[in-house]
C-alpha cells in the first residue's frame, strides 16, 4: 500500500467530498501555522503576520465545511484521511524563505489558492455524483474568492524595496 | 620450599609456554596459588617465547623477582628476555645440553649459579616419545622430579590434552615425563628444594587470566552486549563474548573500527541493555568522542582499556601504566568519568562488577583500566562467592514519572529515571547536544551550567566509597606505599616483606582512581612522612593527579619507570628501607644554634 | 463508500509529529523529508515508542527530534554503528537512521559498507544537499567538481562521491532515491525501505536553500526529475540499477533503483536464532566462574 493512495473521485460520496475538503483546508491551515512559526523564528514579522492571517482564513473555511458535514451526516465515520493528500491548498515547504518580503508571502499564498482551484477543477472532470460536482464547483469558487482577497491585499502593497533582505542581513550562523 | 618461581624460554616450536600452561593447570588442580605470565618475540608465529610460573602455598600477587628455576632450551632465545627472566646465584639453571655450552660457561653475565644442569632434553624426548616435540614434556618431568610438584596432576593434564589423539600419544608423553623425572632422581640437587604440598583444605582453584575474568564478570553483572575491534592485549574479552554471550540472549559485534565498536555498545545501552567495549591505548583515543557522548547523554557504558606500552603502537605486548591521564582526562568539555583499576586476575571480578554497577547507578560511562600483565597472565583464584555481590540496574521511570516524563529530570541526587526504546510513554530525544530536562536542545548558558552541575553532582557519592580502597598496615605509620593496577601486587608483597623486616609501613591500593577521593587520601596521608607512589610508567601519573587534588606530603615521592621494566618487590623494599632511615635521621638543628 | 465502516489505520501521520518546531531555514528540503517520514511511519503502523530514530550531526540530523519516536541525535558520522547496536540489542524495534551527505559519505563513510554487509533490518535515509550547511557552506563529499564554496574558492578540484553507486557496489539490497519535489513518491520509497527486511538505503535530494546551488532546488528537481517507473526500470535488475545510478549528479531519477526480490536473511534474525540455539548451554550467571574450575 502506498502511504499516499490516490483518490478515486468517481466513487466519492457527498460526505466523502466534504471530508476531503475539510482535510484540504486543515492541511492548509496547519501549513500556514508552521510558516508563521518559521517566520517568527527567523524574525520576519511581516510574513509571520500574513501567514497567521491566512491561517485564520483557512480555519474559517474549514469550520464552515466541517459544520455543513455535521449538519448533513452527523458523526458518520470518515472514509478519507489526511494521507490521501499532499499539499493541495497548502503552499509547499520549499516556497518560503526566511528573508521573504510581505509581498512574496502574499504571492506564495496566491499560488496556493490557485493550486487548490486547479485541484478541484481537475477533480470535477472525474466526479460522477451530481452533489459532489456541485460542492466541488462551489469550493473551486471559494478558492477564487480567497485568491481575490489576497490579490486585493497585494494591490495595496507598495512595490518591494530594491534593497533586499539579503543585502543587509547578518551572515548565517555556523553551528 | 613454599614459593617457587620458574622461568622458561625457547623458540615457539619448543612448546615451552604450553609446558607452563600444563604446570599451572596442575598447580591449580592441586590447590597451589600460582601465577603465570608469557612473553613473546614480535614474530606472530615461531618466534622466541617464554613464560614465568610462580607457585606458592601462600597467596601470590606478582610474578616474583629472580628465578628459582631457569629453563633454557637455547640460550639465544633465553637471553632475549633479559630482565623478564632474571637469574641469580641461587637459581637452578637447566638447559639443553645440545647447545654445546659447558655448565661453567653459560652465557649469563655477572652471576654464577650454584646448580647448573646441561640436560639432553631433545635426545630424551626422542628416545621416550620418538620425537623431540616432546621436549616440553621432558621439562615438566624434570621440574616435577627436582621440585616435587604435582606429579599426578601433571600426568592427568597430559592425558586430557593428548587423549583426543589417542592412547599412544598419551603413553609417549607419559614416558617423556617419566624420563625427565628419572634424570632428576639420578642427578639430585646439592641442596634439595622440594615444594611444600598445599594445605589439605586449600581445595581446587579457579584458573584464568584477567581478560577472561573481566568478560565472565561482566556477564555476571548482566552485560548483554559487546562491541569492539581486535587490539592487543584486550582482544580476548571480545573472543569470550563471541563464545558466550549468545547463551545469555545477548549479542556481540566485531565492528569495522574502534569507533563503531563503542558506538554499537552505546546503541545497546540506549536500547536498555548493559553494554561494554574493550580496547587498548590507541583504541581508547579513537573512542574518546563517543565516551563524551555517553557522558552528556547520561548512558551507562563500561569501557575497558587494557593498557600496554605507548604512545601509539608502543610496546603492544608489554604492560605499562601510562593511560591514566587519558582515562581520567581525555575528554572534550567538562566531563567527570569514573576510572577503576583491578590489581589482579582475582579482583578483576570485583572491579568489573563494580564498574557495571557504577555505570548503571549513575548512568555514566566508566573506564575500567586493566593492564597487559593482569589481562594476559594466568592466575589461580580462590572460588568467589558471587552471592555477596549486589547487581545494580539503572533506575527505570515509574508510571507516575512516565505520565510527565523528563528524561533528564534534575533530581536531588542528579540521577534521572531512564527509559529505553520499546517502553511506552518514555519516548525522549537523547543527544550529544546540550539539552534541557526533557531532552530538547538548548544553547542556554543557564541550562548548560545546571546540567553540568547535575552530571557532576550525581557522581559525588562515589568519593565516599571507602570500600573501593584497600588500606593495610598500621594506620599511624609514617611510611607509606600507594600503588594501583598490577604494580599493586608487587607493592603488597614489598609491604609484607618490609613489615616482616620490622618497618612500620602502610599500603593504600585504590580501585577507584578517578574522581580522586580527596578525603580517603587526606586520611591516609595524615600520619605519613615518607613513602612512594609506585607506578610502571615514565610519568608518575597517579602521583601527579594526586597532587592536583590532595596535599601530598613532601616525603611521598614517585617510584616509577617505563613499562616492560618489571619492578621487583625487593626494589620497593629497598626504597622503603632508605626512606625509613631518612626518617630516623636527627632533625637539622635550627640555624640560630649553629 | 459510507455504507461499510472503514478500517482506520492505527496511526496517522500526525501521531509521529513532535511538538518541537524545526529550526531549519524556511524552504529547506528537510521539511518535506520529515513529512514523508511521518506518512511512511503511519502507513507502516508501528507505535512511536517502538521506533528508535538515530542521527548524526548536521542540519538534517535534527530530524529525530521532530518525531515522537525515541530519538538520538548522536555525533558526526556515527549514527550507523549506534543504530546497529540498538537493533542487535533489541531486534523488535523499528530502527531508522538519518543524516546528511557529510555524515554518511565523508566522516562516517567507512561505516556504510559494513552496515550494508551485515544486513541488519534498518533503514538509512541520507538527506543529500551537496553542501555543508550547518557549518556555513563548505564542500561536501557529494559537491560537484568545480563548485565554488568557502573551502573551494576557485572551484572544487575533486570528483563527488556517488552515494547510489557506493551503496549498490557494496551490495545493498534496497536502494532508492527521492526528492521533496515529489512528496508522494518520497513517502512511498521511505515506506518501502522501512518495510524491506534488511538494510535499506534512501538517498533524498534535499536542497539547501541557504547554501545550495540554484540548480539543485526543488523547482529545478521538478523540472528535471524522472521516475524510474516511467522509464520502465526493473528494480530487480541490479546491473540496470547501477547503470542508472551512474547518472547521479547529471539526471535526477526517483524511485526504487534496486530491491533484491530475494532478500538474504537478516543479521538480527540470525542472532535470534543463535541465541535460541545456545540458550540451554548457559551456565547460570551466578555460577559463570565454574568455567574456570580445573577439572
Amino acid at each position: 500500500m502506498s502511504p499516499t493512495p490516490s483518490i478515486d473521485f468517481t466513487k466519492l460520496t457527498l460526505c466523502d467530498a466534504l471530508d476531503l475538503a475539510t482535510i484540504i483546508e486543515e492541511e492548509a491551515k496547519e501549513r500556514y501555522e508552521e510558516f508563521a512559526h518559521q517566520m517568527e523564528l527567523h524574525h520576519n514579522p511581516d510574513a509571520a503576520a500574513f501567514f497567521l492571517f491566512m491561517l485564520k482564513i483557512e480555519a474559517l473555511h474549514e469550520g464552515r465545511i466541517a459544520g455543513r458535514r455535521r449538519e448533513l451526516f452527523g458523526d458518520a465515520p470518515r472514509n478519507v484521511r489526511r494521507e490521501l493528500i499532499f499539499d493541495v491548498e497548502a503552499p509547499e515547504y520549499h516556497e518560503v524563505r526566511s528573508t521573504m518580503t510581505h509581498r512574496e508571502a502574499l504571492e506564495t499564498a496566491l499560488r496556493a489558492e490557485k493550486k487548490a482551484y486547479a485541484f478541484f477543477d481537475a477533480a470535477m472532470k472525474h466526479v460522477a455524483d451530481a452533489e459532489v460536482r456541485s460542492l466541488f464547483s462551489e469550493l473551486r469558487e471559494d478558492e477564487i474568492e480567497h485568491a481575490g482577497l489576497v490579490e486585493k491585499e497585494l494591490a495595496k502593497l507598495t512595490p518591494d524595496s530594491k534593497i533586499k533582505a539579503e543585502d543587509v542581513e547578518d551572515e548565517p550562523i555556523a553551528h | 620450599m613454599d614459593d617457587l618461581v620458574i622461568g622458561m624460554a625457547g623458540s615457539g616450536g619448543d612448546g615451552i609456554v604450553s609446558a607452563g600452561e600444563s604446570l599451572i593447570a596442575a598447580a591449580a588442580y592441586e590447590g597451589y596459588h600460582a601465577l603465570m605470565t608469557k612473553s613473546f618475540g614480535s614474530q606472530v608465529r615461531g618466534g622466541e617465547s617464554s613464560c614465568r610460573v610462580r607457585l606458592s602455598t601462600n597467596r601470590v600477587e606478582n610474578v616474583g623477582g629472580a628465578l628459582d628455576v631457569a629453563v633454557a632450551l637455547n640460550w639465544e632465545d633465553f637471553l632475549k628476555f633479559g630482565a623478564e627472566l632474571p637469574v641469580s646465584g641461587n637459581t637452578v639453571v637447566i638447559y639443553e645440553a645440545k647447545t654445546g655450552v659447558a655448565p661453567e660457561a653459560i652465557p649469563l653475565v655477572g652471576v654464577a649459579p650454584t646448580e647448573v644442569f646441561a640436560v639432553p632434553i631433545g635426545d630424551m624426548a626422542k628416545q621416550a616419545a620418538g620425537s623431540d616435540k616432546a621436549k616440553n614434556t621432558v621439562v615438566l618431568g624434570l621440574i616435577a622430579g627436582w621440585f616435587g610438584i604435582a606429579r599426578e596432576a601433571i600426568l592427568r593434564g597430559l592425558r586430557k590434552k593428548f587423549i583426543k589423539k589417542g592412547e599412544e600419544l598419551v603413553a609417549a608423553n607419559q614416558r617423556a615425563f617419566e624420563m625427565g623425572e628419572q634424570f632428576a632422581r639420578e642427578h639430585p640437587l646439592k641442596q634439595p628444594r622440594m615444594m611444600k604440598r598445599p594445605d589439605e583444605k586449600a581445595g581446587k582453584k579457579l584458573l584464568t587470566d584477567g581478560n577472561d575474568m573481566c568478560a565472565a564478570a561482566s556477564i555476571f553483572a548482566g552485560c548483554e552486549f559487546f562491541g569492539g575491534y581486535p587490539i592487543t592485549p584486550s582482544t580476548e574479552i571480545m573472543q569470550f563474548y563471541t563464545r558466550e554471550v549468545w547463551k545469555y540472549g545477548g549479542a556481540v559485534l566485531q565492528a569495522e573500527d574502534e569507533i563503531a565498536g563503542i558506538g554499537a555498545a552505546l546503541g545497546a545501552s540506549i536500547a536498555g541493555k548493559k553494554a561494554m567495549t574493550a580496547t587498548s591505548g590507541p583504541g581508547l583515543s579513537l573512542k574518546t568522542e563517543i565516551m563524551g557522548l555517553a557522558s552528556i547523554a547520561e548512558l551507562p557504558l563500561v569501557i575497558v582499556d587494557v593498557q600496554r606500552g605507548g604512545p601509539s603502537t608502543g610496546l603492544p605486548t608489554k604492560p605499562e601504566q601510562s593511560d591514566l591521564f587519558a582515562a581520567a582526562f581525555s575528554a572534550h568539555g567538562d566531563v567527570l568519568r569514573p576510572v577503576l583499576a583491578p590489581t589482579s586476575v582475582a579482583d578483576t571480578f570485583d572491579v568489573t562488577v563494580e564498574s557495571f554497577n557504577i555505570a548503571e547507578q549513575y548512568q555514566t560511562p566508566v573506564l575500567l583500566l586493566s593492564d597487559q600483565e593482569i589481562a594476559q597472565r594466568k592466575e589461580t583464584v580462590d572460588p568467589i562467592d558471587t552471592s555477596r555481590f549486589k547487581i545494580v540496574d539503572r533506575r527505570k521511570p515509574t508510571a507516575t514519572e512516565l505520565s510527565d516524563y523528563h528524561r533528564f529530570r534534575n533530581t536531588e541526587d542528579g540521577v534521572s529515571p531512564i527509559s529505553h526504546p520499546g517502553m511506552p510513554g518514555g519516548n525522549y530525544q537523547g543527544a550529544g547536544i546540550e539539552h534541557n530536562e526533557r531532552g530538547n536542545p538548548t544553547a542556554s548558558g543557564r541550562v548548560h551550567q545546571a546540567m553540568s552541575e547535575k552530571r557532576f553532582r550525581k557522581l559525588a557519592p562515589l568519593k565516599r566509597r571507602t570500600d573501593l580502597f584497600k588500606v593495610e598496615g598500621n594506620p599511624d605509620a609514617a611510611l607509606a606505599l600507594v600503588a594501583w593496577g598490577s604494580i599493586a601486587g608487587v607493592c603488597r608483597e614489598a609491604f609484607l616483606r618490609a613489615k616482616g623486616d620490622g618497618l612500620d609501613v602502610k599500603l593504600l591500593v585504590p580501585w577507584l582512581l578517578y574522581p580522586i577521593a580527596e578525603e580517603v587520601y587526606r586520611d591516609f596521608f595524615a600520619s605519613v612522612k615518607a613513602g612512594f607512589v609506585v607506578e610502571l610508567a615514565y610519568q608518575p601519573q597517579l602521583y601527579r593527579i594526586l597532587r592536583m587534588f590532595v596535599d601530598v606530603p613532601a616525603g611521598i615521592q614517585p617510584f616509577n619507570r617505563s613499562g616492560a621494566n618489571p619492578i621487583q618487590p625487593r626494589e620497593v623494599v629497598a626504597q622503603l628501607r632508605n626512606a625509613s632511615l631518612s626518617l630516623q635521621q636527627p632533625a637539622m638543628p635550627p640555624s640560630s644554634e649553629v | 463508500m459510507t455504507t461499510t465502516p472503514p478500517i482506520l489505520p492505527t496511526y496517522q501521520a500526525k501521531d509521529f509529529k513532535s511538538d518541537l518546531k524545526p529550526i531549519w531555514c524556511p524552504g529547506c528540503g528537510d521539511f518535506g523529508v520529515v513529512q514523508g517520514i511521518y506518512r511512511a511511519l503511519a502507513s507502516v503502523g508501528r507505535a512511536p515508542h517502538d521506533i528508535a530514530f538515530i542521527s548524526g550531526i548536521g542540519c538534517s540530523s535534527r530530524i529525530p527530534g521532530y518525531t515522537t519516536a525515541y530519538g538520538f541525535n548522536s555525533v558526526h558520522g556515527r549514527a550507523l554503528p549506534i543504530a546497529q547496536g540498538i537493533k542487535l540489542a533489541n531486534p523488535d524495534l523499528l530502527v531508522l537512521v538519518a543524516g546528511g551527505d557529510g555524515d554518511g559519505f565523508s566522516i562516517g563513510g567507512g561505516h556504510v559498507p559494513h552496515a550494508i554487509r551485515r544486513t541488519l533490518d534498518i533503514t538509512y535515509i541520507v538527506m543529500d544537499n551537496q553542501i555543508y550547511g550547518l557549518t556555513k557552506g563548505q564542500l561536501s563529499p557529494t559537491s560537484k567538481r568545480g563548485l565554488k564554496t568557502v573551502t573551494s574558492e576557485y572551484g572544487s578540484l575533486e570528483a563527488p562521491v556517488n552515494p547510489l553507486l557506493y551503496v549498490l557496489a557494496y551490495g545493498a539490497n534496497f536502494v532508492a532515491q527521492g526528492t521533496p519535489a515529489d512528496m508522494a513518491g518520497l513517502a512511498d520509497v521511505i515506506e518501502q525501505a522501512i518495510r524491506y527486511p534488511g538494510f535499506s538505503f534512501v538517498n533524498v535530494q534535499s536542497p539547501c536553500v541557504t547554501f545550495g546551488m540554484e540548480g539543485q532546488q526543488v523547482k529545478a528537481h521538478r523540472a528535471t526529475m524522472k521516475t524510474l517507473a516511467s522509464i520502465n526500470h526493473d528494480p530487480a535488475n541490479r546491473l540496470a540499477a547501477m547503470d542508472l545510478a551512474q547518472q547521479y549528479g547529471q539526471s535526477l531519477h526517483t524511485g526504487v533503483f534496486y530491491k533484491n526480490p530475494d532478500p538474504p536473511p537478516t543479521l538480527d534474525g540470525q542472532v535470534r536464532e543463535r541465541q535460541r540455539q545456545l540458550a540451554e548451554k548457559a551456565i547460570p550467571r551466578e555460577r559463570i566462574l565454574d568455567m574456570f574450575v580445573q577439572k
Side-chain angles (χ1 to χ4, degrees):
Chain A
M1 185 181 96
S2 163
T4 312
S6 52
I7 306 164
D8 186 352
F9 291 106
T10 59
K11 290 191 180 145
L12 229 47
T13 65
L14 182 59
C15 181
D16 295 336
L18 283 165
D19 285 338
L20 181 66
T22 310
I23 62 173
I24 286 171
E25 298 301 326
E26 187 183 273
E27 186 191 38
K29 179 188 78 179
E30 286 172 12
R31 187 66 46 85
Y32 283 120
E33 190 176 6
E34 279 184 65
F35 281 177
H37 272 294
Q38 288 182 22
M39 293 305 148
E40 273 164 23
L41 185 67
H42 290 85
H43 301 92
N44 186 339
D46 284 354
F50 172 70
F51 287 136
L52 277 175
F53 164 78
M54 285 307 294
L55 180 164
K56 283 180 198 138
I57 300 276
E58 303 300 350
L60 273 173
H61 200 193
E62 180 201 356
R64 242 183 19 241
I65 300 167
R68 198 155 133 201
R69 193 269 196 203
R70 257 196 316 280
E71 221 168 80
L72 291 172
F73 303 100
D75 51 6
R78 236 191 207 192
N79 283 313
V80 291
R81 16 177 217 103
R82 265 295 279 283
E83 284 70 23
L84 285 172
I85 59 158
F86 249 133
D87 301 343
V88 173
E89 192 175 346
E92 292 178 52
Y93 283 108
H94 70 92
E95 292 192 77
V96 288
R97 293 292 182 274
S98 59
T99 52
M100 71 197 311
T101 60
H102 191 184
R103 172 181 295 278
E104 284 163 344
L106 262 69
E107 285 166 353
T108 300
L110 186 60
R111 280 195 299 275
E113 296 301 333
K114 287 182 173 165
K115 184 171 62 166
Y117 174 91
F119 173 84
F120 289 117
D121 192 55
M124 279 175 66
K125 297 188 177 73
H126 307 283
V127 171
D129 186 295
E131 280 179 313
V132 174
R133 278 182 70 87
S134 126
L135 174 72
F136 275 20
S137 156
E138 192 185 315
L139 290 169
R140 195 176 57 177
E141 299 317 306
D142 285 349
E143 304 308 343
I144 293 178
E145 189 192 317
H146 291 165
L149 206 70
V150 178
E151 273 166 340
K152 223 162 74 193
E153 287 297 311
L154 261 175
K156 283 190 224 156
L157 287 179
T158 51
D160 276 350
S161 161
K162 286 271 185 323
I163 305 171
K164 299 279 179 216
E166 290 87 344
D167 299 329
V168 296
E169 69 164 349
D170 291 339
E171 277 196 23
I173 304 299
H175 289 279
Chain B
M1 289 187 78
D2 57 6
D3 196 313
L4 189 70
V5 181
I6 303 164
M8 308 192 274
S11 68
D14 292 332
I16 208 70
V17 171
S18 165
E21 306 260 9
S22 299
L23 196 58
I24 194 170
Y29 185 80
E30 289 284 299
Y32 282 109
H33 295 270
L35 197 147
M36 172 181 172
T37 56
K38 309 171 222 179
S39 187
F40 303 95
S42 49
Q43 301 90 326
V44 166
R45 194 168 185 179
E48 62 277 10
S49 55
S50 74
C51 66
R52 286 178 64 118
V53 180
R54 183 177 184 186
L55 294 125
S56 178
T57 50
N58 303 309
R59 184 171 154 201
V60 288
E61 293 181 85
N62 62 73
V63 293
L67 304 177
D68 296 306
V69 185
V71 179
L73 289 179
N74 71 67
W75 284 110
E76 201 182 318
D77 288 338
F78 187 92
L79 293 171
K80 278 184 187 148
F81 293 99
E84 293 175 65
L85 299 175
V87 174
S88 76
N90 203 32
T91 306
V92 177
V93 176
I94 303 162
Y95 68 99
E96 168 62 68
K98 261 206 182 135
T99 54
V101 179
E104 53 283 2
I106 54 169
L108 295 166
V109 183
V111 283
T114 48
E115 309 233 30
V116 181
F117 296 93
V119 186
I121 299 171
D123 289 345
M124 288 160 70
K126 254 186 220 150
Q127 196 189 329
S131 157
D132 72 350
K133 293 267 179 295
K135 275 193 291 198
N136 56 359
T137 310
V138 174
V139 169
L140 287 171
L142 291 167
I143 290 170
W146 272 316
F147 307 97
I149 308 158
R151 176 181 205 277
E152 295 310 317
I154 293 175
L155 284 175
R156 237 179 128 267
L158 287 174
R159 160 166 285 277
K160 239 181 83 184
K161 184 170 163 188
F162 291 108
I163 191 70
K164 285 172 284 209
K165 301 206 164 164
E167 282 291 350
E168 202 181 318
L169 217 60
V170 174
N173 272 282
Q174 177 146 354
R175 283 196 302 276
F177 178 84
E178 284 167 351
M179 192 166 281
E181 274 185 308
Q182 192 189 336
F183 185 96
R185 268 198 306 277
E186 289 166 1
H187 303 80
L189 299 178
K190 287 176 218 152
Q191 185 197 347
R193 304 190 193 193
M194 297 302 268
M195 270 295 279
K196 249 172 58 182
R197 302 256 327 134
D199 195 337
E200 281 304 314
K201 298 191 296 278
K204 288 196 188 72
K205 301 220 179 318
L206 313 179
L207 180 64
T208 188
D209 57 39
N211 276 341
D212 275 5
M213 183 59 103
C214 175
S218 67
I219 288 193
F220 168 73
C223 183
E224 290 182 79
F225 189 87
F226 182 98
Y229 188 76
I231 183 167
T232 304
S234 77
T235 313
E236 292 83 4
I237 298 176
M238 178 161 63
Q239 290 172 190
F240 185 101
Y241 263 81
T242 61
R243 294 191 300 272
E244 300 296 332
V245 73
W246 319 104
K247 301 175 186 170
Y248 301 90
V252 51
L253 186 75
Q254 179 180 332
E256 57 272 25
D257 59 38
E258 293 278 1
I259 300 172
I262 189 174
L266 188 80
S269 183
I270 293 169
K273 299 287 162 72
K274 293 185 186 178
M276 83 189 294
T277 184
T279 188
S280 188
L284 183 67
S285 298
L286 287 168
K287 291 181 191 300
T288 307
E289 185 190 17
I290 288 188
M291 283 167 16
L293 175 61
S295 285
I296 197 167
E298 302 197 44
L299 288 163
L301 186 63
V302 173
I303 301 111
V304 180
D305 174 33
V306 181
Q307 298 169 97
R308 65 189 207 187
S312 189
T313 306
L315 292 80
T317 59
K318 308 287 182 193
E320 191 165 89
Q321 298 182 293
S322 53
D323 287 354
L324 179 56
F325 285 166
F329 303 126
S330 67
H332 45 281
D334 280 315
V335 163
L336 183 58
R337 181 175 57 222
V339 180
L340 284 90
T343 68
S344 66
V345 174
D347 74 13
T348 294
F349 186 86
D350 306 59
V351 175
T352 305
V353 174
E354 276 301 344
S355 297
F356 275 92
N357 284 350
I358 291 168
E360 291 288 316
Q361 171 94 47
Y362 302 112
Q363 297 173 23
T364 178
V366 171
L367 224 145
L368 201 171
L369 209 47
S370 178
D371 63 53
Q372 185 273 336
E373 186 183 310
I374 295 171
Q376 295 194 321
R377 83 182 183 203
K378 278 235 157 106
E379 185 182 308
T380 55
V381 175
D382 283 320
I384 293 172
D385 175 13
T386 55
S387 69
R388 71 187 166 86
F389 290 87
K390 206 179 117 215
I391 300 291
V392 178
D393 292 313
R394 61 191 77 175
R395 194 177 136 203
K396 299 255 162 67
T398 61
T400 323
E401 284 164 340
L402 281 176
S403 67
D404 180 28
Y405 187 53
H406 289 57
R407 161 64 188 101
F408 301 99
R409 192 182 287 282
N410 201 344
T411 57
E412 201 179 320
D413 63 6
V415 178
S416 326
I418 179 169
S419 62
H420 57 77
M423 184 187 281
N427 308 34
Y428 77 96
Q429 299 299 320
I433 199 164
E434 187 59 285
H435 39 258
N436 61 18
E437 291 182 68
R438 281 212 185 266
N440 293 337
T442 179
S444 148
R446 189 184 50 76
V447 176
H448 184 41
Q449 170 76 15
M451 293 312 253
S452 297
E453 194 273 335
K454 166 197 194 290
R455 291 189 290 263
F456 274 70
R457 172 160 38 92
K458 70 179 180 181
L459 292 167
L462 259 186
K463 295 189 182 188
R464 297 192 287 273
R465 287 284 305 276
T466 50
D467 60 319
L468 298 177
F469 297 83
K470 304 294 157 194
V471 183
E472 289 180 77
N474 171 18
D476 298 324
L479 202 54
L481 280 178
V482 178
W484 63 282
S486 58
I487 288 297
V490 173
C491 287
R492 190 162 180 280
E493 184 166 331
F495 157 77
L496 291 173
R497 280 204 218 166
K499 240 176 55 167
D501 291 353
L503 292 180
D504 188 15
V505 57
K506 61 179 178 177
L507 169 72
L508 172 63
V509 174
W511 276 347
L512 177 68
L513 295 176
Y514 200 77
I516 294 296
E518 289 97 340
E519 276 178 41
V520 172
Y521 290 98
R522 208 173 293 144
D523 289 352
F524 181 78
F525 286 140
S527 65
V528 172
K529 299 279 185 294
F532 302 94
V533 180
V534 186
E535 296 176 80
L536 190 65
Y538 187 77
Q539 300 178 94
Q541 300 194 355
L542 178 61
Y543 173 77
R544 297 251 179 259
I545 296 177
L546 283 177
R547 291 187 51 158
M548 284 174 70
F549 292 93
V550 183
D551 286 328
V552 177
I556 285 280
Q557 287 297 312
F559 177 54
N560 62 296
R561 60 180 174 237
S562 280
N565 294 291
I567 293 174
Q568 294 185 15
R570 64 172 173 80
E571 295 177 79
V572 180
V573 174
Q575 292 286 332
L576 283 173
R577 207 173 282 133
N578 286 343
S580 164
L581 286 176
S582 73
L583 283 182
Q584 286 158 16
Q585 273 172 7
M588 187 82 80
S591 59
S592 62
E593 290 178 25
V594 173
Chain C
M1 250 173 108
T2 44
T3 48
T4 48
I7 302 159
L8 284 174
T10 323
Y11 293 101
Q12 294 176 276
K14 65 178 168 58
D15 296 322
F16 297 92
K17 184 175 189 290
S18 78
D19 295 334
L20 204 60
K21 303 276 181 273
I23 57 156
W24 292 320
C25 303
C28 178
D30 296 347
F31 281 105
V33 182
V34 74
Q35 292 295 328
I37 290 173
Y38 297 149
R39 191 156 293 193
L41 287 174
S43 184
V44 169
R46 294 289 304 272
H49 69 254
D50 282 332
I51 300 166
F53 194 173
I54 316 304
S55 66
I57 289 291
C59 296
S60 56
S61 284
R62 290 267 183 167
I63 204 164
Y66 307 137
T67 75
T68 51
Y70 274 92
F72 198 81
N73 183 183
S74 72
V75 289
H76 203 20
R78 315 302 166 202
L80 276 174
I82 293 172
Q84 291 172 75
I86 292 178
K87 185 69 180 179
L88 280 168
N90 184 357
D92 289 338
L93 298 172
L94 189 164
V95 178
L96 286 180
V97 190
D101 42 304
D103 231 22
F105 295 100
S106 206
I107 191 167
H111 300 304
V112 176
H114 302 279
I116 292 171
R117 73 185 173 88
R118 290 192 186 111
T119 65
L120 275 162
D121 187 11
I122 61 180
T123 294
Y124 185 30
I125 300 167
V126 167
M127 281 155 269
D128 176 9
N129 61 7
Q130 298 96 32
I131 199 82
Y132 280 16
L134 197 67
T135 48
K136 290 208 316 179
Q138 296 80 14
L139 277 182
S140 104
T142 54
S143 295
K144 277 189 174 165
R145 192 192 286 273
L147 183 68
K148 287 183 182 170
T149 72
V150 289
T151 51
S152 55
E153 188 73 33
Y154 309 107
S156 164
L157 299 173
E158 299 168 18
V161 165
N162 179 332
L164 299 166
L165 209 50
Y166 190 103
V167 299
L168 281 166
Y170 280 113
N173 288 304
F174 184 98
V175 180
Q177 182 161 257
T179 158
D182 170 16
M183 286 304 301
L186 177 60
D188 179 56
V189 290
I190 294 173
E191 186 196 355
Q192 286 195 57
I194 293 171
R195 288 189 188 275
Y196 191 80
F199 181 86
S200 50
F201 173 77
V202 181
N203 198 60
V204 185
Q205 294 285 338
S206 181
C208 174
V209 292
T210 302
F211 300 104
M213 291 164 69
E214 200 49 47
Q216 286 169 354
Q217 302 299 322
V218 167
K219 263 188 197 148
H221 287 181
R222 201 158 277 162
T224 58
M225 58 185 262
K226 239 184 255 156
T227 67
L228 290 165
S230 72
I231 56 168
N232 294 319
H233 169 61
D234 170 14
N237 186 338
R238 185 160 174 268
L239 289 178
M242 291 182 92
D243 209 24
L244 284 162
Q246 306 236 38
Q247 295 171 41
Y248 171 87
Q250 282 118 49
S251 39
L252 176 57
H253 290 299
T254 63
V256 179
F257 278 76
Y258 181 57
K259 185 177 191 173
N260 185 346
D262 185 18
T266 63
L267 181 65
D268 31 306
Q270 292 176 90
V271 161
R272 276 199 166 146
E273 180 59 20
R274 181 163 294 175
Q275 288 166 340
R276 209 181 47 74
Q277 282 167 354
L278 293 172
E280 61 183 32
K281 294 204 169 133
I283 307 173
R285 282 178 194 264
E286 64 280 9
R287 289 203 289 108
I288 191 160
L289 295 179
D290 287 1
M291 68 171 71
F292 301 137
V293 175
Q294 289 305 297
K295 291 187 197 86

